[in-house]
Amino acid sequence: MHGKPWGTEVLHSFRQVSAFGRSTIRKFPYNVADLPGLAARDYEDILQCCIPCFEGLLPDPHNNTLLDLLYILNYWHSMAKLRMHTDTSLRVFRQLTTNLGAALRYFADETCQHFQTFETDKEYQARSRAIPLATPEHPPCIPDAVLPASGKRPKKFNISTPKAHFFPDYADQIGRFGTTDSLSTKVVRFSSKFRDLYLTLVFRVKVDTPASKTTTIGQISTTQHRKLSILMFGMLFTFA
């Protein structure tokens, strides 16, 4: 396995993952690394399926370090998405966040120092297209003279980002404002799907057409949908 490029092995492993359910795990495309416009569900699918795809990719002890980190990330993600929390589960979540921070720092300081990593093909192509547009006031960040023979910039694993900085805040925010599903945009998305189905089945009006916005039937159905949405949100806050 170690005789082939590691990136090729990972992409091949992701392509072997079968879809699960209607929308639980979607079929991965040919190149997971160059997916454009990744949504939250795409990151979730990659996280849930990455452990078997990365297993055996690196030599020991780095392989065990990587798998431990991926397991902790999956555990943390499952705790963050729980729809019901107690004082006990929040204490577990806080301790797990501490373990996650330690695992990330160890991976960045120890494991990543033994490997040379570079930007993806997509990043390299985008930078190559931008170089002719560079001006003397805004020159390229790294001169071509210091780049490797392949022309790709070296890329290091970086944990000094806002997302990593906000990890410890999740448990406190859940304790103050409730579980993360109450703040998710899925409620709006499902509400829009209900409106589309309502227009199509009841009034026979296709969605995203002038008839759904300008005709009397389309306007009435839109008003009814808004009233129903307000009623549903009121019921949620009442029983919360």
Side-chain angles (χ1 to χ4, degrees):
M1 172 176 290
H2 301 296
K4 298 181 180 179
W6 294 341
T8 304
E9 284 292 336
V10 172
L11 298 179
H12 177 73
S13 299
F14 272 107
R15 290 195 294 269
Q16 303 305 310
V17 178
S18 303
F20 180 77
R22 296 184 60 183
S23 60
T24 305
I25 299 295
R26 296 169 176 81
K27 185 66 176 179
F28 290 104
Y30 182 81
N31 192 343
V32 177
D34 289 338
L35 278 177
L38 285 171
R41 62 177 180 271
D42 299 319
Y43 287 108
E44 185 178 28
D45 291 349
I46 294 173
L47 178 62
Q48 292 175 343
C49 301
C50 64
I51 291 181
C53 296
F54 281 92
E55 184 176 7
L57 184 67
L58 304 180
D60 290 329
H62 307 301
N63 179 65
N64 294 331
T65 302
L66 176 61
L67 296 183
D68 289 343
L69 175 60
L70 294 178
Y71 176 80
I72 295 175
L73 281 170
N74 275 278
Y75 190 7
W76 189 93
H77 176 262
S78 63
M79 292 294 294
K81 290 199 66 176
L82 280 180
R83 298 184 179 182
M84 180 179 296
H85 269 285
T86 62
D87 293 340
T88 302
S89 65
L90 287 178
R91 284 196 298 268
V92 173
F93 192 21
R94 290 188 178 94
Q95 181 60 46
L96 180 62
T97 304
T98 302
N99 297 340
L100 174 60
L104 285 172
R105 288 191 295 270
Y106 183 84
F107 180 77
D109 297 338
E110 299 294 335
T111 303
C112 293
Q113 303 305 319
H114 293 80
F115 302 95
Q116 291 184 345
T117 53
F118 300 91
E119 60 187 354
T120 63
D121 294 337
K122 182 180 179 181
E123 293 171 336
Y124 170 69
Q125 294 168 5
R127 184 171 55 81
S128 300
R129 292 192 298 267
I131 288 178
L133 304 178
T135 61
E137 294 79 10
H138 300 86
C141 297
I142 301 180
D144 294 339
V146 300
L147 291 177
S150 63
K152 293 185 177 181
R153 290 178 178 175
K155 296 275 286 191
K156 295 295 185 180
F157 179 67
N158 181 23
I159 60 175
S160 300
T161 62
K163 290 183 179 180
H165 178 75
F166 291 141
F167 277 152
D169 297 331
Y170 275 79
D172 294 336
Q173 296 300 315
I174 290 175
R176 292 180 181 179
F177 304 110
T179 53
T180 54
D181 64 302
S182 61
L183 308 175
S184 174
T185 56
K186 288 183 178 180
V187 177
V188 180
R189 183 160 55 89
F190 289 147
S191 179
S192 301
K193 288 185 177 181
F194 176 79
R195 173 184 177 273
D196 299 345
L197 183 63
Y198 185 78
L199 283 172
T200 304
L201 298 181
V202 178
F203 292 101
R204 305 297 181 183
V205 176
K206 293 184 177 180
V207 184
D208 295 331
T209 60
S212 65
K213 302 177 181 179
T214 59
T215 62
T216 303
I217 294 178
Q219 293 174 357
I220 292 175
S221 61
T222 301
T223 303
Q224 291 181 347
H225 171 260
R226 290 173 181 172
K227 291 181 179 179
L228 181 60
S229 299
I230 294 174
L231 177 61
M232 293 175 61
F233 279 115
M235 294 176 62
L236 288 175
F237 285 112
T238 300
F239 291 104

